[in-house]
Amino acid sequence: MTTIENKALVERIMEARARRDPAPFIAAMSDDFVWRIIGSTAWSGAYVGKAEVRERLLKPLYAQFVAPTRITPTRILADGDHVVVQCDGDATTVAGERYANTYCFVIRIADGQLRELTEYMDTALVDRVLQPPPGRRSPP
């Protein structure tokens, strides 16, 4: 795919995420998709494979919110097989706390599918508002 096609794919995914619809994002993940979360939070690390991303990352994360996070892009840049998205997230936890994070996603696309995503965010907010995923503890 071209740079323009890769950017258009991510724009469609982000339009859906702005409506709190994660389905196009999930559908675009390749089976060997890798999601890396930078930092030292309990959520940080690499989630390898679409099944693991859905089970170990998205399922416990979405369980903490009353609705999927609204993610609104503020800038989308593309160069070849990489698309970079600056965006703002907004959600409310089941405990009633607002979770409004700021993100930068660096996405690699191949053959029309998302292959890798590296996520940069406000890790202090993650530690303060989110519960750790099952089997992991918050850093000291």
Side-chain angles (χ1 to χ4, degrees):
M1 291 177 64
T2 67
T3 297
I4 292 169
E5 292 168 322
N6 288 337
K7 184 177 181 184
L9 170 64
V10 173
E11 286 173 338
R12 287 191 301 275
I13 290 168
M14 295 309 294
E15 286 169 6
R17 292 305 319 254
R19 297 187 312 271
R20 299 186 189 275
D21 179 5
F25 173 70
I26 293 167
M29 284 184 222
S30 65
D31 288 339
D32 60 350
F33 179 72
V34 176
W35 188 327
R36 288 179 189 87
I37 299 176
I38 301 302
S40 58
T41 74
W43 293 90
S44 298
Y47 299 83
V48 180
K50 184 175 184 174
E52 180 173 276
V53 167
R54 293 187 75 185
E55 192 62 31
R56 288 193 48 239
L57 175 62
L58 298 180
K59 185 177 176 180
L61 180 63
Y62 290 169
Q64 295 194 44
F65 301 130
V66 295
T69 305
R70 171 180 287 128
I71 299 178
T72 307
T74 56
R75 180 175 292 125
I76 300 177
L77 306 170
D79 183 19
D81 60 354
H82 285 86
V83 179
V84 178
V85 183
Q86 265 185 291
C87 47
D88 297 315
D90 189 33
T92 302
T93 68
V94 293
E97 241 184 303
R98 184 159 184 241
Y99 180 73
N101 212 327
T102 301
Y103 303 96
C104 181
F105 300 135
V106 179
I107 303 165
R108 186 175 68 81
I109 300 169
D111 302 320
Q113 292 188 301
L114 306 181
R115 298 297 176 148
E116 296 177 28
L117 182 148
T118 302
E119 176 180 345
Y120 300 87
M121 65 176 150
D122 179 349
T123 55
L125 179 65
V126 171
D127 284 340
R128 186 175 57 78
V129 176
L130 297 181
Q131 297 298 313
R136 298 187 80 176
R137 296 184 315 157
S138 292

